[in-house]
Short mmCIF file of all heavy atoms in Angstrom, two decimals:
data_model
loop_
_atom_site.label_atom_id
_atom_site.label_comp_id
_atom_site.label_asym_id
_atom_site.label_seq_id
_atom_site.Cartn_x
_atom_site.Cartn_y
_atom_site.Cartn_z
N ARG A 73 92.48 127.38 145.68
CA ARG A 73 92.62 127.04 144.16
C ARG A 73 93.92 127.44 143.65
O ARG A 73 94.02 127.53 142.41
CB ARG A 73 91.38 127.44 143.52
CG ARG A 73 90.09 126.74 143.88
CD ARG A 73 88.90 127.56 143.59
NE ARG A 73 88.73 127.84 142.24
CZ ARG A 73 87.77 128.52 141.57
NH1 ARG A 73 86.85 129.09 142.46
NH2 ARG A 73 87.68 128.65 140.34
N TYR A 74 94.83 127.90 144.42
CA TYR A 74 96.14 128.45 143.89
C TYR A 74 96.92 127.27 143.09
O TYR A 74 96.81 126.04 143.51
CB TYR A 74 97.00 128.72 145.07
CG TYR A 74 98.18 129.48 144.73
CD1 TYR A 74 98.08 130.86 144.26
CD2 TYR A 74 99.61 128.90 144.60
CE1 TYR A 74 99.28 131.52 143.96
CE2 TYR A 74 100.60 129.68 144.30
CZ TYR A 74 100.50 130.89 143.87
OH TYR A 74 101.61 131.56 143.53
N ARG A 75 97.44 127.61 141.99
CA ARG A 75 97.97 126.60 141.16
C ARG A 75 99.43 126.76 141.14
O ARG A 75 99.98 127.60 140.19
CB ARG A 75 97.40 126.74 139.75
CG ARG A 75 95.88 126.48 139.65
CD ARG A 75 95.46 126.35 138.18
NE ARG A 75 95.75 127.55 137.39
CZ ARG A 75 94.86 128.47 137.25
NH1 ARG A 75 93.65 128.45 137.65
NH2 ARG A 75 95.18 129.52 136.38
N ALA A 76 100.17 125.96 141.80
CA ALA A 76 101.67 126.00 141.69
C ALA A 76 102.18 124.63 141.25
O ALA A 76 101.38 123.97 140.46
CB ALA A 76 102.28 126.37 143.07
N ILE A 77 103.49 124.29 141.56
CA ILE A 77 104.03 123.12 141.01
C ILE A 77 103.09 121.89 141.27
O ILE A 77 102.51 121.64 142.36
CB ILE A 77 105.37 122.80 141.86
CG1 ILE A 77 106.37 124.01 141.38
CG2 ILE A 77 105.92 121.41 141.50
CD1 ILE A 77 106.77 123.96 139.97
N HIS A 78 103.02 121.06 140.26
CA HIS A 78 101.99 119.86 140.30
C HIS A 78 102.39 118.78 141.30
O HIS A 78 103.60 118.67 141.75
CB HIS A 78 102.02 119.18 138.90
CG HIS A 78 101.67 120.08 137.86
ND1 HIS A 78 102.58 121.16 137.43
CD2 HIS A 78 100.69 120.31 136.99
CE1 HIS A 78 102.03 121.91 136.46
NE2 HIS A 78 100.83 121.26 136.15
N GLU A 79 101.42 118.05 141.63
CA GLU A 79 101.72 116.86 142.45
C GLU A 79 100.93 115.64 141.87
O GLU A 79 100.01 115.87 141.21
CB GLU A 79 101.05 117.10 143.89
CG GLU A 79 102.09 118.00 144.67
CD GLU A 79 101.48 118.30 146.07
OE1 GLU A 79 100.30 117.87 146.40
OE2 GLU A 79 101.97 119.07 146.80
N MET A 80 101.50 114.50 142.09
CA MET A 80 100.86 113.24 141.67
C MET A 80 100.36 112.59 142.96
O MET A 80 101.09 112.34 143.80
CB MET A 80 101.88 112.33 140.94
CG MET A 80 102.12 112.70 139.55
SD MET A 80 100.76 112.09 138.52
CE MET A 80 101.30 112.78 136.98
N LEU A 81 99.04 112.29 143.03
CA LEU A 81 98.48 111.65 144.23
C LEU A 81 98.49 110.25 144.24
O LEU A 81 98.51 109.61 143.02
CB LEU A 81 97.13 112.25 144.45
CG LEU A 81 97.08 113.82 144.60
CD1 LEU A 81 95.66 114.23 145.16
CD2 LEU A 81 98.15 114.33 145.58
N ARG A 82 98.37 109.61 145.30
CA ARG A 82 98.11 108.19 145.47
C ARG A 82 96.70 107.84 145.85
O ARG A 82 96.05 108.65 146.34
CB ARG A 82 99.04 107.69 146.56
CG ARG A 82 100.56 107.80 146.26
CD ARG A 82 101.39 107.25 147.41
NE ARG A 82 102.78 107.46 147.14
CZ ARG A 82 103.57 106.57 146.50
NH1 ARG A 82 103.13 105.44 146.19
NH2 ARG A 82 104.84 106.86 146.45
N LEU A 83 96.41 106.57 145.57
CA LEU A 83 95.04 106.09 145.87
C LEU A 83 94.91 106.03 147.44
O LEU A 83 95.86 105.46 147.94
CB LEU A 83 94.88 104.72 145.25
CG LEU A 83 94.49 104.74 143.75
CD1 LEU A 83 94.49 103.26 143.26
CD2 LEU A 83 93.14 105.29 143.52
N MET A 84 93.83 106.46 147.94
CA MET A 84 93.58 106.35 149.35
C MET A 84 93.76 105.02 150.02
O MET A 84 94.21 104.76 151.04
CB MET A 84 92.20 106.99 149.73
CG MET A 84 92.15 108.51 149.51
SD MET A 84 93.28 109.24 150.50
CE MET A 84 92.95 110.96 150.23
N GLU A 85 93.08 103.97 149.25
CA GLU A 85 92.98 102.70 149.73
C GLU A 85 94.34 101.87 149.76
O GLU A 85 94.77 101.38 150.73
CB GLU A 85 91.93 101.84 149.03
CG GLU A 85 90.63 102.35 149.03
CD GLU A 85 90.22 103.43 147.95
OE1 GLU A 85 91.20 103.76 147.24
OE2 GLU A 85 89.20 103.89 147.93
N SER A 86 94.96 102.01 148.58
CA SER A 86 96.14 101.09 148.45
C SER A 86 97.45 101.83 148.56
O SER A 86 98.40 101.22 148.79
CB SER A 86 96.03 100.36 147.06
OG SER A 86 96.05 101.36 145.99
N GLY A 87 97.39 103.03 148.25
CA GLY A 87 98.75 103.92 148.21
C GLY A 87 99.51 103.67 146.85
O GLY A 87 100.55 104.36 146.78
N THR A 88 98.88 102.98 145.96
CA THR A 88 99.53 103.03 144.57
C THR A 88 99.13 104.28 143.77
O THR A 88 98.28 104.93 144.14
CB THR A 88 99.09 101.84 143.72
OG1 THR A 88 97.73 101.73 143.74
CG2 THR A 88 99.68 100.45 144.30
N GLU A 89 100.00 104.53 142.86
CA GLU A 89 99.78 105.93 142.16
C GLU A 89 98.40 105.86 141.45
O GLU A 89 97.97 104.78 141.01
CB GLU A 89 100.82 106.11 141.18
CG GLU A 89 101.05 105.07 140.20
CD GLU A 89 102.40 104.81 139.90
OE1 GLU A 89 103.28 104.74 140.75
OE2 GLU A 89 102.68 104.62 138.59
N ARG A 90 97.75 107.06 141.36
CA ARG A 90 96.44 107.06 140.77
C ARG A 90 96.61 107.14 139.16
O ARG A 90 95.71 106.66 138.38
CB ARG A 90 95.66 108.39 141.21
CG ARG A 90 95.24 108.25 142.69
CD ARG A 90 94.48 109.65 142.97
NE ARG A 90 94.18 109.60 144.35
CZ ARG A 90 93.56 110.66 144.87
NH1 ARG A 90 93.22 111.72 144.22
NH2 ARG A 90 93.31 110.62 146.24
N CYS A 91 97.69 107.65 138.74
CA CYS A 91 97.85 107.86 137.33
C CYS A 91 97.71 106.51 136.45
O CYS A 91 98.34 105.54 136.92
CB CYS A 91 99.27 108.45 137.05
SG CYS A 91 99.48 108.72 135.30
N ILE A 92 96.84 106.46 135.52
CA ILE A 92 96.67 105.17 134.76
C ILE A 92 97.42 105.38 133.30
O ILE A 92 97.30 104.43 132.48
CB ILE A 92 95.25 104.94 134.49
CG1 ILE A 92 94.53 106.20 133.93
CG2 ILE A 92 94.56 104.57 135.79
CD1 ILE A 92 93.17 105.85 133.29
N GLY A 93 98.08 106.51 133.16
CA GLY A 93 98.71 106.74 131.82
C GLY A 93 97.79 106.89 130.73
O GLY A 93 98.21 106.55 129.57
N CYS A 94 96.73 107.65 130.84
CA CYS A 94 95.75 107.81 129.81
C CYS A 94 96.25 108.86 128.85
O CYS A 94 95.85 108.79 127.62
CB CYS A 94 94.31 108.09 130.23
SG CYS A 94 94.32 109.85 130.92
N GLY A 95 97.16 109.73 129.16
CA GLY A 95 97.74 110.63 128.27
C GLY A 95 96.87 111.86 127.96
O GLY A 95 97.33 112.68 127.04
N LEU A 96 95.83 112.14 128.73
CA LEU A 96 94.99 113.26 128.45
C LEU A 96 95.66 114.52 128.80
O LEU A 96 95.57 115.65 128.16
CB LEU A 96 93.69 113.17 129.16
CG LEU A 96 92.73 112.06 128.68
CD1 LEU A 96 91.36 112.13 129.47
CD2 LEU A 96 92.32 112.27 127.19
N CYS A 97 96.56 114.62 129.90
CA CYS A 97 97.21 115.72 130.36
C CYS A 97 98.25 116.14 129.34
O CYS A 97 98.39 117.19 128.98
CB CYS A 97 97.83 115.52 131.72
SG CYS A 97 98.78 114.10 131.85
N GLU A 98 98.88 115.13 128.69
CA GLU A 98 99.88 115.44 127.67
C GLU A 98 99.23 116.08 126.50
O GLU A 98 99.69 116.91 125.81
CB GLU A 98 100.43 114.01 127.29
CG GLU A 98 101.60 114.09 126.23
CD GLU A 98 102.06 112.68 125.78
OE1 GLU A 98 101.28 111.77 125.93
OE2 GLU A 98 103.21 112.63 125.26
N LYS A 99 97.97 115.53 126.13
CA LYS A 99 97.30 116.01 125.00
C LYS A 99 96.68 117.38 125.23
O LYS A 99 96.82 118.21 124.24
CB LYS A 99 96.17 115.04 124.62
CG LYS A 99 95.10 115.41 123.48
CD LYS A 99 96.00 115.45 122.22
CE LYS A 99 95.10 115.94 121.08
NZ LYS A 99 95.97 116.26 119.88
#
Side-chain angles (χ1 to χ4, degrees):
Chain A
R73 290 159 64 183
Y74 191 75
R75 301 191 298 263
I77 296 294
H78 306 68
E79 281 172 4
M80 278 282 178
L81 301 188
R82 291 180 185 272
L83 284 170
M84 287 302 182
E85 296 85 358
S86 60
T88 51
E89 63 219 39
R90 290 182 185 177
C91 178
I92 55 166
C94 70
L96 291 181
C97 50
E98 186 187 19
K99 178 67 186 166

